[in-house]
Amino acid sequence: MAAAPVVDRWSWFPALALGVSLFKCLFINAYHSTDFEVHRNWLAITHSLPVSRWYYENTSEWTLDYPPLFAWFEFGLSHVGQHFDRNMLVVENLNYASTSTVLFQRLSVIVTDLLFIFSVKECCRCVKDKKGSLNILEQPSFILTVLLLWNFGLLIVDHIHFQYNGFLFGFLLLSVAKHFQSKHLQGALLFSILLNLKHIYLYVSPAYGIYLLRSYCFTQNNKDGSVKWKSLSVLRLLALGSIVVFVCVLSFSPFIAMGQLPQILSRLFPFKRGLCHAYWAPNIWALYNLLDKSLAVLGARLKLLEEAKLPRASMTGGLVQEFEHSVLPSISPSITFICTLLAILPAVASLWRRPCGAWGFLRCLVLCALGSFMFGWHVHEKAILIPILPLSLLAVQSREDASIFLVLATTGHYSLFPLLFTPAELPIKAVLMLIFTIYSFTSLRKLHSGQASLLHPLEVVYLLGLVAMAVICEIIFPLSPWQHRLPFLPLLATSVYCSVGTCYSFLRMYAILVREREKPKQL
Amino acid sequence: MQTWSLVSICVLLGVVIRWGVSFNSYSGAGKPPMFGDYEAQRHWQEVTYNLPLQEWYFNTTDNELNYWGLDYPPLTAYHSWICAYIAKRINSEWVELHKSRGYESPAHKLFMRATVLIADVLIYIPAVVLYCLYLTDGSSKKKVSTMFCFLLYPGLILIDYGHFQYNGVSLGFSLWGVVALGLGWDALGSMAFCLALNYKQMELYHALPFFCYLLGKCIKLGLIGRGFVLLARIAVTVLVTFALCWLPFLSDPDRALQVVRRIFPVARGLFEDKVANAWCSLNTVIKIRSILSSDSQLYLSLACTLLAVLPSSVRLLTKPTFWQFKLALANSSLAFFLFSYQVHEKSILLAALPVCLLLSDLPLMGIWFLQASTFSMLPLFLKDGLLVPYFVTSLAFLYFSIYLLSALEHSSEEELRLRPYRRVFFCLPKVDLACVVRWKFYVSIASMAGLSIASVLLVPPPHLPDLFPVLVSTTAFLHFSGAFVYFNVVQFSGPPSKRSQKKNN
């Protein structure tokens, strides 16, 4: 990290990678959420049941609701896992967590993260290093590696909370890197695999579709930069199409053959869940809910509304359930769908009309991810990582993006705090967040050293507010008598406060896009 | 990047790693009737909170000394008392007299772990930061690297946060003493060291160098003039600190004597378990304990220890420089560990601390010794279920210290200070000693790794149940005695040359 010899340009990379892998091993015995049991159950289902039963099995409430390739991934893992503890592969062993099961599942996340490490290395090759500067601590590729490998959100979501996001982000970043290296077909292949592993990445597929169509299938532009319709390469289009179709067929065909497609789709897209998760993700709907709540309370106070008529269900009741808004119109899935489309449309349109190469594509990808996070149906707070990680690449390249990154990453990461609510993990999440934040602020500031500070004073005040929020929500509130009367108040406050930051970042990302269109020849 | 951000990131990483290790099991978890050191510390809280101070060290109906009776000096007792006070406010079951015996719960474990971390953050870590920033040479990057390696030393982390003890407190006080002496605040330094001594009597391992350094300094200043004033100031500081620590016990001489008897239990034999010191290793060949009476064992070990400490102490007395002081600390603690009476395997931490101080000057040898010291406690870690954190932290320490301190690049004959050995091996002028050392290092690391893996995976033959612990302690003993000779040679071979320091930058 510090006094490394300058001779070998990449010698720091294995150090950072090994360091973070060993670091992850320390959390093997830490708290894990129900997602641990979810994945154990999937291991058991895929290992001990025939393929035809995979998407019907419902002994556990955590049914298989990822696309088939992920089920095959679990199937592969289960064959390693049987050497650790056979009992974890029994479907009836609900909530089974023996020492060797924990060890195996944790190690499986750490080992599959090797793909993520590899993809980070590929991404580092895409950023331009500063010439002449001998200090590796100030090289964009070094900073990018730390920002990605040591990403706070990824560490706590994957290695404490328990999920396989690192592995999945490996595919995403690798495919982005392939696009930077103009290996578009490989990029498309990786992305279609990713889609068949976890369908949440459908949210960023518009960016992929438009980019590949516009910049790969159309080979030439007119002089004013608009598309030359005649230059469509049918061969390229066919190649792309066949890759996507091939991966999807590979993944879904056994189930289509058994006539299980409707069942799978109903598992993959459960619209029965509510607009927001038990803990509201910090997006537009958190603000909407707050507005509704306060209008209801205000109305009841002023006797404009009859209290008896208001729906009683509390929106943060802790259960994943449907609820109705009291005053404002309730939101249906189709409304969120339209809002999401509208939110990402300008970005996608701009990518079509003025493609700016791979960097423009990356910007569009971040906007798609962020837009769907802002307006999507039943968004999880963990989904904030989908925009944050690709934005890290932009952050080491341009000053403006760096300042957005600092706001978005800090608020987004803070909004993950409620994921770990056990007192033993409190020091971990607080200190890790502090490490990541100190590092990202100081390194990006040094990297873009120039005229003024990266952040506007108001942004600084807003981010400092997060510290106050953390102290109040994590320490003062649990000790106060309100804890029993209003146990969900800290969650509400956190998501509302953070949603201001994410909305702001979303708007600023668009502002950059608009400004770039006005002055040509940028990134 | 600014130094402050690097320093804070390293410190915070050190804190997270410590807390990460603390998720693991502790000594004697779920093992009635005696449990382990964790229960000992909890029991001390119970005793100090519920009994009047007069009874703390006495065997009474309420204080059964056979069950983890208090056998550390008063400061430990006061610390337990403060912790007990907080524990009482959180959950009074934790320190209830008699009824809380063997109490274990996740919340209580969290509380106990937190007390260790708080003590560490208040005492040990600031001392490490100060030492590395102000008392090591080189660029700020090198200082930060040294600090990171220092904080990463696995032995201390695993014992304090895994096995469960408060070594960070006594070692931290002693480190504060070193820092203060290094900065020239002699009275403050001796006060800090007295606190360390009053927290854990094992700090006596470091006492001679402190004494010799200060005395040597006074002599150098002239015992009639300024030196005498300094000596008087130090003496008064020491006496006052001791008096303050022992104040409640001084009213009754019998009470004070009982504390002393508890602190130095001579009746426990030359050694227990498998320790990597001379006596235990000798025991594989000659059964000393059956040959000699316990009194002559005591005198023998005393004589050997004094003989082993003497050279470095005399050298320090005549040349009281900070460099000599650090080396003398390492030599004296190693001598005590190797030859003194009733040594625990954990006492190697007392030798590890001074070697950590030498990390920036003698990186390769320091890392080698520290790795061996962690390895020497392997049987203990296995007993406590700390296998994964042992592997993880050892690997991390080995890799990062070699990488960050560029230990293998800076391993020329001069940088390793091997010139005196040249004279011994004058008959073999062709041999590159640095290369030999490097190879020995590789072989030793490989053998430690191999033995670690073997102790985990292989089942020892039935007639040799202690095969692996004995192998581990003998291997570690060989390393420790080699290090003892090496550090003594370095101490007698002159100060570090300025030229090699510059090259290190």
Side-chain angles (χ1 to χ4, degrees):
Chain A
M1 199 147 88
V6 207
V7 202
D8 184 3
R9 271 195 62 227
W10 283 93
S11 75
W12 47 267
F13 191 86
L16 284 176
L18 182 75
V20 78
S21 297
L22 289 173
F23 190 63
K24 291 164 185 174
C25 293
L26 285 178
F27 302 134
I28 286 178
N29 286 322
Y31 151 86
H32 50 76
S33 73
T34 46
D35 274 338
F36 180 84
E37 167 63 7
V38 170
H39 286 95
R40 192 220 45 88
N41 184 43
W42 294 355
L43 283 176
I45 289 176
T46 51
H47 189 81
S48 50
L49 296 178
V51 180
S52 58
R53 295 273 316 280
W54 285 3
Y55 282 93
Y56 284 93
E57 169 57 44
N58 59 0
T59 310
S60 160
E61 61 178 310
W62 312 116
T63 52
L64 185 52
D65 57 6
Y66 274 27
L69 271 194
F70 198 83
W72 287 111
F73 167 67
E74 294 274 4
F75 178 75
L77 279 184
S78 70
H79 282 272
V80 185
Q82 63 181 346
H83 299 294
F84 281 76
D85 185 353
R86 285 206 71 89
N87 286 327
M88 74 167 120
L89 300 174
V90 178
V91 180
E92 287 74 29
N93 277 349
L94 297 184
N95 294 316
Y96 184 78
S98 67
T99 317
S100 36
T101 308
V102 173
L103 185 69
F104 166 70
Q105 294 224 67
R106 291 286 197 197
L107 284 182
S108 73
V109 183
I110 295 167
V111 171
T112 50
D113 264 6
L114 289 178
L115 183 75
F116 179 62
I117 293 173
F118 175 70
S119 75
V120 170
K121 179 142 195 189
E122 289 295 302
C123 281
C124 285
R125 291 181 200 280
C126 307
V127 296
K128 286 170 271 161
D129 268 349
K130 274 190 200 165
K131 295 231 171 61
S133 170
L134 286 177
N135 190 349
I136 44 161
L137 288 178
E138 287 165 23
Q139 288 293 350
S141 52
F142 180 87
I143 295 173
L144 178 64
T145 309
V146 179
L147 291 183
L148 290 173
L149 284 185
W150 287 81
N151 182 281
F152 164 76
L154 211 50
L155 280 176
I156 68 162
V157 171
D158 275 14
H159 302 278
I160 300 181
H161 177 86
F162 198 85
Q163 275 190 349
Y164 288 94
N165 290 302
F167 171 66
L168 299 168
F169 274 114
F171 278 101
L172 183 70
L173 292 181
L174 202 54
S175 94
V176 168
K178 290 295 172 197
H179 286 312
F180 272 98
Q181 298 159 2
S182 300
K183 295 172 183 162
H184 296 289
L185 289 180
Q186 288 180 32
L189 174 71
L190 286 165
F191 185 67
S192 15
I193 294 174
L194 177 66
L195 273 186
N196 282 288
L197 282 167
K198 191 170 177 179
H199 50 298
I200 194 171
Y201 293 96
L202 269 176
Y203 281 135
V204 296
S205 58
Y208 272 90
I210 297 298
Y211 174 65
L212 284 173
L213 192 63
R214 177 68 179 80
S215 304
Y216 180 66
C217 296
F218 287 101
T219 49
Q220 282 170 348
N221 286 342
N222 286 325
K223 272 189 188 135
D224 61 343
S226 63
V227 61
K228 197 176 210 172
W229 291 98
K230 279 185 191 157
S231 69
L232 177 69
S233 157
V234 181
L235 192 70
R236 288 185 168 191
L237 189 62
L238 276 180
L240 264 184
S242 52
I243 283 177
V244 176
V245 170
F246 171 73
V247 174
C248 291
V249 164
L250 199 71
S251 141
F252 278 92
S253 61
F255 302 94
I256 295 174
M258 289 183 282
Q260 294 182 352
L261 197 59
Q263 167 70 10
I264 293 186
L265 291 182
S266 77
R267 282 274 177 93
L268 295 189
F269 303 100
F271 282 110
K272 289 244 168 60
R273 293 177 176 181
L275 171 67
C276 292
H277 193 236
Y279 156 61
W280 305 343
N283 59 11
I284 288 285
W285 306 125
L287 294 177
Y288 188 83
N289 287 348
L290 177 77
L291 187 64
D292 181 64
K293 270 266 170 189
S294 19
L295 282 179
V297 171
L298 203 67
R301 278 277 166 80
L302 298 176
K303 305 274 190 295
L304 294 175
L305 297 162
E306 287 176 53
E307 238 175 297
K309 274 192 185 172
L310 294 174
R312 302 256 3 123
S314 140
M315 283 178 290
T316 43
L319 288 167
V320 180
Q321 61 186 2
E322 286 183 83
F323 63 83
E324 291 181 351
H325 289 94
S326 330
V327 185
L328 298 173
S330 281
I331 303 294
S332 69
S334 45
I335 296 177
T336 63
F337 185 69
I338 292 168
C339 288
T340 313
L341 264 189
L342 287 177
I344 63 175
L345 200 63
V348 175
S350 147
L351 183 66
W352 176 266
R353 283 174 40 201
R354 284 185 44 85
C356 307
W359 287 107
F361 154 69
L362 188 61
R363 188 176 297 284
C364 179
L365 189 153
V366 172
L367 270 168
C368 284
L370 201 51
S372 51
F373 179 83
M374 297 309 302
F375 294 99
W377 179 260
H378 195 80
V379 176
H380 281 239
E381 66 279 20
K382 288 159 251 168
I384 194 66
L385 294 178
I386 305 179
I388 289 178
L389 286 171
L391 186 58
S392 318
L393 275 131
L394 290 167
V396 294
Q397 292 292 287
S398 92
R399 191 185 166 81
E400 185 89 24
D401 288 313
S403 75
I404 299 178
F405 175 81
L406 291 180
V407 176
L408 183 68
T410 315
T411 49
H413 286 158
Y414 178 72
S415 75
L416 297 173
F417 264 34
L419 272 183
L420 307 179
F421 49 84
T422 43
E425 277 71 20
L426 176 67
I428 295 282
K429 67 177 178 183
V431 175
L432 261 185
M433 168 99 187
L434 209 56
I435 294 175
F436 186 80
T437 311
I438 290 177
Y439 182 79
S440 52
F441 272 77
T442 49
S443 64
L444 286 177
R445 184 161 166 200
K446 188 87 190 164
L447 181 67
H448 301 292
S449 63
Q451 314 86 38
S453 151
L454 280 177
L455 294 177
H456 189 270
L458 271 180
E459 294 171 330
V460 175
V461 171
Y462 171 77
L463 292 180
L464 284 177
L466 285 175
V467 179
M469 281 285 286
V471 173
I472 293 171
C473 294
E474 303 284 342
I475 298 165
I476 298 176
F477 192 83
L479 297 176
S480 74
W482 290 26
Q483 167 73 7
H484 300 289
R485 275 187 27 228
L486 298 162
F488 294 104
L489 193 65
L491 293 185
L492 190 144
T494 307
S495 58
V496 169
Y497 194 85
C498 291
S499 60
V500 174
T502 48
C503 290
Y504 170 78
S505 314
F506 179 62
L507 293 178
R508 267 196 71 187
M509 278 302 281
Y510 259 119
I512 294 186
L513 200 71
V514 171
R515 213 172 315 150
E516 258 171 29
R517 199 189 293 171
E518 280 162 6
K519 61 167 186 209
K521 283 277 272 173
Q522 276 289 307
L523 269 187
Chain B
M1 272 174 66
Q2 295 94 330
T3 313
W4 73 263
S5 69
L6 281 178
V7 169
S8 48
I9 287 171
C10 288
V11 168
L12 291 172
L13 267 177
V15 170
V16 177
I17 290 166
R18 283 165 163 71
W19 197 249
V21 170
S22 80
F23 288 135
N24 292 284
S25 169
Y26 46 83
S27 72
K31 285 180 194 151
M34 280 306 272
F35 303 94
D37 276 345
Y38 176 88
E39 168 64 8
Q41 299 286 349
R42 195 212 55 76
H43 180 67
W44 293 352
Q45 295 179 8
E46 174 197 333
V47 168
T48 50
Y49 185 79
N50 291 297
L51 301 183
L53 185 134
Q54 298 87 302
E55 289 181 32
W56 285 358
Y57 288 90
F58 282 93
N59 202 20
T60 61
T61 44
D62 283 333
N63 189 15
E64 212 184 306
L65 287 184
N66 280 332
Y67 184 81
W68 299 117
L70 200 49
D71 55 2
Y72 277 11
L75 268 192
T76 297
Y78 304 147
H79 182 207
S80 293
W81 183 75
I82 294 170
C83 292
Y85 223 83
I86 301 163
K88 178 84 177 173
R89 294 206 62 178
I90 300 173
N91 184 347
S92 56
E93 276 178 42
W94 292 349
V95 287
E96 213 174 333
L97 193 61
H98 300 311
K99 280 186 188 160
S100 64
R101 208 170 262 202
Y103 187 94
E104 289 178 290
S105 76
H108 185 246
K109 178 182 168 190
L110 183 63
F111 165 74
M112 295 292 274
R113 298 294 202 197
T115 59
V116 180
L117 186 69
I118 290 168
D120 228 8
V121 168
L122 289 179
I123 299 171
Y124 183 74
I125 294 180
V128 173
V129 174
L130 274 185
Y131 173 80
C132 293
L133 290 186
Y134 292 105
L135 294 171
T136 57
D137 316 299
S139 63
S140 64
K141 263 188 195 173
K142 183 161 184 262
K143 287 177 178 174
V144 174
S145 308
T146 314
M147 188 185 84
F148 185 62
C149 300
F150 201 147
L151 288 175
L152 205 62
Y153 170 58
L156 182 63
I157 298 180
L158 289 168
I159 290 295
D160 275 13
Y161 292 85
H163 177 85
F164 200 89
Q165 275 192 347
Y166 294 96
N167 291 300
V169 179
S170 53
L171 293 180
F173 276 133
S174 149
L175 192 53
W176 273 107
V178 174
V179 171
L181 292 197
L183 295 173
W185 306 329
D186 295 324
L188 269 179
S190 41
M191 189 181 87
F193 184 68
C194 289
L195 292 178
L197 211 50
N198 278 308
Y199 193 89
K200 210 168 177 178
Q201 67 275 27
M202 248 80 87
E203 280 295 332
L204 276 176
Y205 287 19
H206 294 150
L208 264 179
F210 270 92
F211 176 76
C212 294
Y213 176 73
L214 290 173
L215 187 63
K217 203 169 167 185
C218 293
I219 293 173
K220 215 169 144 193
L221 287 174
L223 265 185
I224 311 160
R226 277 172 38 227
F228 182 76
V229 180
L230 183 62
L231 190 64
R233 259 177 58 204
I234 294 168
V236 170
T237 318
V238 171
L239 286 177
V240 169
T241 316
F242 261 88
L244 283 178
C245 290
W246 286 71
L247 196 59
F249 299 93
L250 289 180
S251 56
D252 182 358
D254 193 39
R255 206 182 295 157
L257 257 172
Q258 169 68 6
V259 179
V260 174
R261 269 197 297 273
R262 290 289 304 159
I263 294 173
F264 299 104
V266 231
R268 283 169 74 174
L270 191 54
F271 62 90
E272 284 175 64
D273 291 338
K274 299 284 171 285
V275 183
N277 73 353
W279 308 124
C280 186
S281 306
L282 198 63
N283 195 49
T284 50
V285 193
I286 314 162
K287 304 280 175 243
I288 329 157
R289 278 185 298 189
S290 50
I291 299 173
L292 294 175
S293 72
S294 65
D295 269 352
S296 39
Q297 284 177 30
L298 186 62
Y299 292 129
L300 177 69
S301 72
L302 192 66
C304 287
T305 315
L306 281 182
L307 212 61
V309 191
L310 208 59
S312 77
S313 297
V314 170
R315 171 81 171 170
L316 177 63
L317 204 57
T318 54
K319 272 188 91 162
T321 62
F322 192 58
W323 165 249
Q324 291 284 340
F325 174 54
K326 289 194 284 186
L327 282 165
L329 276 175
N331 285 326
S332 144
S333 48
L334 260 174
F336 272 94
F337 179 83
L338 288 174
F339 299 107
S340 78
Y341 195 75
Q342 248 293 309
V343 174
H344 285 265
E345 65 274 62
K346 281 159 271 177
S347 305
I348 194 62
L349 293 179
L350 290 154
L353 183 78
V355 178
C356 282
L357 300 177
L358 293 167
L359 261 181
S360 68
D361 302 297
L362 305 164
L364 187 65
M365 290 302 187
I367 293 163
W368 194 359
F369 175 84
L370 292 173
Q371 198 62 44
S373 72
T374 313
F375 168 75
S376 75
M377 293 181 281
L378 175 68
L380 187 72
F381 298 144
L382 288 183
K383 205 164 76 187
D384 294 343
L386 296 170
L387 178 67
V388 175
Y390 164 73
F391 270 109
V392 168
T393 50
S394 304
L395 196 59
F397 175 75
L398 191 63
Y399 182 87
F400 279 97
S401 49
I402 289 180
Y403 176 74
L404 291 176
L405 303 175
S406 338
L408 289 171
E409 282 91 50
H410 293 301
S411 59
S412 68
E413 210 162 290
E414 192 183 345
E415 278 162 324
L416 290 173
R417 287 168 226 280
L418 294 174
R419 201 165 287 151
Y421 291 87
R422 253 291 157 235
R423 295 188 203 128
V424 183
F425 295 105
F426 61 90
C427 45
L428 304 165
K430 283 270 164 66
V431 182
D432 177 12
L433 283 178
C435 190
V436 173
V437 168
R438 268 202 300 277
W439 274 104
K440 269 164 77 179
F441 175 72
Y442 296 138
V443 170
S444 124
I445 294 292
S447 66
M448 287 195 264
L451 259 177
S452 301
I453 293 166
S455 342
V456 176
L457 295 181
L458 300 183
V459 182
H463 58 282
L464 292 170
D466 282 340
L467 176 67
F468 290 119
V470 169
L471 279 178
V472 167
S473 70
T474 320
T475 315
F477 168 70
L478 291 176
H479 283 92
F480 295 158
S481 39
F484 179 62
V485 173
Y486 172 77
F487 286 128
N488 267 303
V489 170
V490 173
Q491 197 181 355
F492 279 89
S493 66
S497 66
K498 282 277 167 265
R499 203 165 61 86
S500 74
Q501 269 179 26
K502 279 213 183 93
K503 236 164 46 185
N504 276 345
N505 300 350

